[in-house]
Amino acid sequence: MIHKVTLIPGDGIGPEVINATVRVLEATGVKFEWETHQAGADAYAKTKQYIPKELYESVERTRLGLKGPVTTPIAGGFASINVTLRKKFELFANFRPIRNLPNIKTNYPGIDLVIVRENTEGEYSGIEHEVVPGVVESLKIITEKASTRIARFAFDYARRDHRKKIHAIHKANIMKLTDGLFLRCCRDTAEIYPDIQYAEHIVDNTCMQLVTNPYQYDVMVMENLYGDIISDLCAGFVGGLGLVPGANLGHECAIFEAVHGSAPDIAGKDLANPTAVMQSAVLMLRHIGETAAAERMHAALQRVYSEGKKTTRDIGGKSGTSEFADAVIQALETSKEPAGAGR
Ligand code: ATP
């Protein structure tokens, strides 16, 4: 079987980490047909569209995407490509597992938690306007439908993956209506899943709890902005943004991308760590049912980190993006050999 995938290389470090990941995916032996499309400023320069219609059509066809980061201009400019795609294809769940890799020294060994972030509304609704000069307004939209949908996703996932506990993260003491509704939907959903423990933490306290005892968390569900911030915080537990994968999941479509952004400071220098996108690709392989290839790619990554000789600079190594990819491919290929071969 050949899997058709819409490939969005992105910009900044995007093309480097995507290229490295595609090389590893092809080395797994799974057959892919890549439909490559640009988005963001690069796409605009060529097509006068930030998301060309061919990209939309491709995702509608393939229902599957692998995406590099696309730079979002700060305070002005075009709307975030990531946010636009998530809304357009109803990729309502952002799934971010946080786990340590072998040999990465951090103050927090043994982390194993999952962030489930609502992906379509909250402060990311993008409804902002100037009331009068000097006064602006931004609307935080929370709906019962989207809140219940993400709560159910989190509980279903917890049950499927034998997770024990879900924390709903909120600020309902201040945002009584919006976060209040989000929380009510989580509580109502929790009643349908008595086998999963349920607790609630206020987001500011959560930050303090995370840095003092992250081990109390298992699955955390939260609205969009809190999910964005808490994900970066948790990436710090396991060695940084270069390592943490992500999946944007809807009922009919999925786009896999790293938690990190386009990191323009290191773009084009073969310095970026492609692990985050590679780990996102492992999630993609599982999603499309290529479980054996997923496990092999996961094992190859673990092996390169266990050996610790070919890691990138963000985590104290000396290798570049492509050398790291070569090492993962080599680990994949040696795992194919029968026991004892090559000794
Ligand atoms: P965004 O707002 O677009 O999500 P961000 O604020 O999360 O972006 P990033 O662009 O992800 O910021 O990166 C922050 C810093 O982390 C970068 O400047 C870079 O030094 C480092 N970084 C991020 N991703 C990687 C990576 N894959 N490899 C190495 N370093 C990285």
Side-chain angles (χ1 to χ4, degrees):
M1 165 161 193
I2 298 176
H3 299 279
K4 289 191 178 186
V5 186
T6 305
L7 190 70
I8 307 166
D11 49 44
I13 58 172
E16 297 164 77
V17 290
I18 286 286
N19 177 44
T21 303
V22 166
R23 286 177 52 216
V24 174
L25 279 169
E26 299 209 318
T28 63
V30 175
K31 297 273 176 274
F32 294 99
E33 191 178 311
W34 306 104
E35 298 190 5
T36 306
H37 294 279
Q38 285 299 347
D42 290 355
Y44 190 82
K46 288 193 196 118
T47 65
K48 295 282 173 268
Q49 290 169 306
Y50 290 108
I51 304 182
K53 88 174 180 342
E54 289 76 14
L55 193 162
Y56 282 126
E57 287 166 1
S58 173
V59 177
E60 262 152 29
R61 227 178 7 253
T62 63
R63 304 264 147 211
L64 186 65
L66 180 65
K67 179 181 162 299
V70 178
T71 307
T72 307
I74 294 177
F78 59 90
S80 160
I81 302 300
N82 307 333
V83 175
T84 308
L85 287 174
R86 291 168 188 171
K87 283 190 193 153
K88 163 83 182 161
F89 292 106
E90 287 228 51
L91 303 169
F92 64 88
N94 195 313
F95 177 80
R96 297 178 161 181
I98 316 272
R99 289 194 189 94
N100 300 87
L101 280 158
N103 251 334
I104 308 266
K105 289 195 183 50
T106 81
N107 293 327
Y108 300 93
I111 294 284
D112 180 7
L113 59 87
V114 170
I115 295 169
V116 175
R117 164 186 175 188
E118 204 293 319
N119 228 1
T120 61
E121 55 180 32
E123 291 87 347
Y124 280 62
S125 304
I127 307 172
E128 293 187 316
H129 64 272
E130 186 176 63
V131 183
V132 291
V135 182
V136 291
E137 209 168 55
S138 172
L139 299 186
K140 170 169 179 165
I141 307 288
I142 296 286
T143 64
E144 190 176 323
K145 181 178 164 225
S147 304
T148 302
R149 185 170 64 176
I150 197 68
R152 287 214 170 202
F153 175 93
F155 278 91
D156 280 341
Y157 160 71
R159 197 175 260 175
R160 215 172 38 246
D161 208 31
H162 309 293
R163 297 271 174 173
K164 301 219 161 18
K165 189 164 190 176
I166 292 192
H167 279 85
I169 310 301
H170 67 95
K171 189 77 186 175
N173 51 334
I174 304 297
M175 278 164 274
K176 294 178 192 293
L177 280 183
T178 49
D179 283 23
L181 175 59
F182 181 81
L183 211 49
R184 226 168 19 256
C185 295
C186 289
R187 268 180 213 166
D188 290 349
T189 306
E191 284 182 13
I192 313 170
Y193 297 79
D195 47 319
I196 314 280
Q197 293 171 52
Y198 173 70
E200 296 166 354
H201 278 177
I202 295 177
V203 64
D204 43 349
N205 177 36
T206 303
C207 294
M208 191 275 289
Q209 296 286 341
L210 274 168
V211 295
T212 48
N213 177 19
Y215 305 103
Q216 65 189 294
Y217 295 105
D218 189 359
V219 177
M220 305 166 85
V221 62
M222 60 200 84
E223 60 87 86
N224 215 334
L225 180 63
Y226 308 152
D228 182 46
I229 297 167
I230 299 280
S231 301
D232 274 27
L233 190 162
C234 291
F237 292 147
V238 296
L241 285 169
L243 304 173
V244 178
N248 298 296
L249 305 169
H251 289 309
E252 288 175 9
C253 181
I255 297 183
F256 295 81
E257 66 180 341
V259 167
H260 63 73
S262 57
D265 53 328
I266 54 166
K269 299 177 182 161
D270 197 40
L271 287 178
N273 188 346
T275 304
V277 178
M278 289 185 186
Q279 299 223 77
S280 308
V282 171
L283 297 178
M284 183 179 87
L285 286 170
R286 288 200 189 112
H287 177 83
I288 59 176
E290 295 286 0
T291 323
E295 295 326 312
R296 282 182 51 238
M297 184 164 167
H298 171 75
L301 279 162
Q302 298 277 319
R303 184 155 154 198
V304 172
Y305 277 97
S306 297
E307 289 172 3
K309 290 185 204 137
K310 295 282 167 71
T311 54
T312 47
R313 288 178 199 212
D314 54 312
I315 46 156
K318 290 196 173 69
S319 294
T321 314
S322 35
E323 196 183 7
F324 177 82
D326 292 343
V328 179
I329 291 168
Q330 204 186 358
L332 260 178
E333 283 171 356
T334 22
S335 77
K336 258 193 252 169
E337 290 173 11
R343 288 200 191 137

